[in-house]
Amino acid sequence: MDTGSDRAELATLRAQIDDLVTRVAAVATRYEESSDSAVSDDLFAAERSLVSARRFLERAINRLDG
């Protein structure tokens, strides 16, 4: 099986997740000290989930290389 295009697709998804992590964390930080700190808590939880997803993508990419 030719994994080159799949690897490229996964690398693109990883880059998009990296961007989302940065953007979600920025919004979460803005709400951290506000009366809406529950919003911040939820956004930081979303950030952690995105970081976990990025790790799984990285693992899949490494297996394709492997």
Side-chain angles (χ1 to χ4, degrees), residues 12-31:
T12 298
L13 290 168
R14 181 184 53 198
Q16 290 172 339
I17 288 175
D18 285 341
D19 181 53
L20 288 172
V21 166
T22 301
R23 293 168 63 190
V24 168
V27 176
T29 300
R30 287 196 296 267
Y31 282 91

Side-chain angles (χ1 to χ4, degrees), residues 17 21 45-59:
I17 288 175
V21 166
E47 177 197 23
R48 288 189 298 276
S49 294
L50 288 166
V51 168
S52 179
R54 181 178 58 204
R55 282 189 206 114
F56 281 111
L57 282 174
E58 187 65 39
R59 186 184 307 172

